[in-house]
Amino acid sequence: QVQLVESGGGLVQAGGSLRLTCAASGRTFSSYPMGWFRQAPGKDREFVGETTRSGDKTCYLDSVKGRFTISRDNAKNTVYLQMNSLKPEDTAVYYCAAAPYHCATNFREYVYWGKGTQVTVSS
C-alpha cells in the first residue's frame, strides 16, 4: 500500500513561488508515474501535471505550462511541484497521487492519494 504526504503549501503573493513536496512510502515508489492535482472550493479536482517513473518526461495542464515544474528523487521517495509566477487562480488544495499511467488526467483513475496541502495566492 502506498502512503503519500504533501507539504510545502502556504500563503504567497501573486508572482511568487512555492515548492510542494510529496513524500511516499515503499520501495516500489519508482514503479509509479506521479501526478499532481488541485481542487478549489466548489470546483472539480483538476489535473495539474505528472511525471514518468524516472522523471524524464512530464505533462501539464495548459494553464501551468512554463510556470510549474514536476521533478522526482526516487532515492528519497519524493516528488516535487515547483510553482513559479503564481496567480490567484492557482489557489487550491494540492494533492499528489500515484498514477496508473503517464498523463492520466482523470482523478477517478487514481487509487493512492495524499491528504493535500493548501496553497493560497493573494493579489
Side-chain angles (χ1 to χ4, degrees), residues 1-6 22-26 28-37 45 47 49-53 70 72 74 77-79 94-116:
Q1 189 172 14
V2 178
Q3 303 290 330
L4 303 169
V5 180
E6 303 95 337
C22 175
S25 66
T28 60
F29 171 74
S30 63
S31 296
Y32 294 92
M34 291 295 297
W36 286 93
F37 287 77
R45 191 163 295 191
F47 176 78
E50 191 171 348
T51 188
T52 55
R53 297 164 188 84
I70 297 171
R72 67 192 297 162
N74 287 340
N77 285 357
T78 302
V79 63
Y94 283 71
Y95 302 87
C96 67
Y101 54 90
H102 185 53
C103 288
T105 60
N106 185 352
F107 73 89
R108 295 174 179 85
E109 296 184 277
Y110 290 68
V111 175
Y112 303 107
W113 294 87
K115 295 292 185 181

Side-chain angles (χ1 to χ4, degrees), residues 38 46-48 59-67 87:
R38 65 187 183 186
E46 180 181 46
F47 176 78
V48 174
C59 60
Y60 298 99
L61 176 69
D62 284 345
S63 65
V64 309
K65 287 180 180 178
R67 299 189 299 121
K87 305 174 181 179

Side-chain angles (χ1 to χ4, degrees), residues 8-14 16-18 86 91 117-123:
L11 175 65
V12 65
Q13 289 185 302
S17 298
L18 285 173
L86 282 161
T91 295
T117 185
Q118 177 71 48
V119 172
T120 302
V121 184
S122 65
S123 299

